[in-house]
Amino acid sequence: IASGAVTTVRTRFPPEPNGYLHIGHAKSIFLNYGLAEKYGGTCNLRFDDTNPEKENIDYVNSIIRDVEWLGFGYNKGPSSVPGNILYASDYFGRLYQLACDLIRMDKAYVDSLSEEEIREYRGTITSPGRDSPYRNRSIEENLDLFHRMRAGEFLNTEHPKYSINRHFHNSPIL
């Protein structure tokens, strides 16, 4: 900021609405909202609502109240930091399209390894990981599997992950 290389500050506080906030969250709230306030930026409260089995609207409302109680929020309290209340699920359609684009560019694939196999293939700090045997599926097969995953055709254990196909790294799992 001082050099002018960055002119806009945008931060976010991304809690999962699956429980009440604790003291550790306060640090992140003060850091993110505080930096946005200090530099005239924005801070979004972006709920990571990607696990509907554990999430509850009561937690969402409680988190909003707690952020406001700490003096931050949107047009409320002593500090009105510009920003929005957002939900990760609002972006699922866009994220799905981006994932399909990565598959079409042969930069991602559907990985059918089990969780235990993923741990085995991942490697350790002292030994390199191994490529998934599913890494070289065709683009068409990966797109077909990915579309069918989205449609709910498979159990979570059949094709559990979508992986970025990095040739310089042992494909991180998303």
Side-chain angles (χ1 to χ4, degrees), residues 23 26 29-30 62-73 77-78:
I23 194 69
I29 291 168
F30 278 101
S62 172
I63 290 167
I64 292 169
R65 277 192 310 272
D66 289 349
V67 168
E68 290 173 351
W69 182 80
L70 288 171
F72 299 101

Side-chain angles (χ1 to χ4, degrees), residues 21-148:
L21 297 184
H22 54 73
I23 194 69
H25 290 103
K27 178 180 179 182
S28 179
I29 291 168
F30 278 101
L31 177 69
N32 287 292
Y33 283 90
L35 287 172
E37 182 179 46
K38 179 178 180 177
Y39 294 106
T42 61
C43 183
N44 291 324
L45 174 58
R46 190 201 40 87
F47 288 101
D48 189 4
D49 62 334
T50 57
N51 188 355
E53 293 175 8
K54 294 185 177 184
E55 293 152 9
N56 185 307
I57 191 66
D58 292 337
Y59 297 135
V60 170
N61 293 332
S62 172
I63 290 167
I64 292 169
R65 277 192 310 272
D66 289 349
V67 168
E68 290 173 351
W69 182 80
L70 288 171
F72 299 101
Y74 307 102
N75 303 315
K76 295 180 180 180
S79 173
S80 293
V81 175
N84 296 296
I85 296 175
L86 305 170
Y87 299 84
S89 59
D90 293 341
Y91 303 98
F92 281 172
R94 178 71 177 131
L95 294 173
Y96 179 76
Q97 287 306 314
L98 291 169
C100 289
D101 291 346
L102 287 171
I103 292 171
R104 283 186 201 95
M105 293 185 299
D106 200 23
K107 303 225 181 259
Y109 64 97
V110 174
D111 198 335
S112 301
L113 292 174
S114 69
E115 286 188 41
E116 185 171 318
E117 289 171 320
I118 289 170
R119 278 191 287 279
E120 291 172 18
Y121 276 76
R122 185 178 296 145
T124 66
I125 196 163
T126 58
S127 63
R130 297 179 286 156
D131 286 348
S132 169
Y134 303 103
R135 183 180 189 145
N136 295 315
R137 282 182 173 146
S138 71
I139 291 171
E140 294 75 22
E141 184 179 2
N142 278 302
L143 281 171
D144 176 62
L145 286 169
F146 198 56
H147 294 318
R148 291 165 57 200

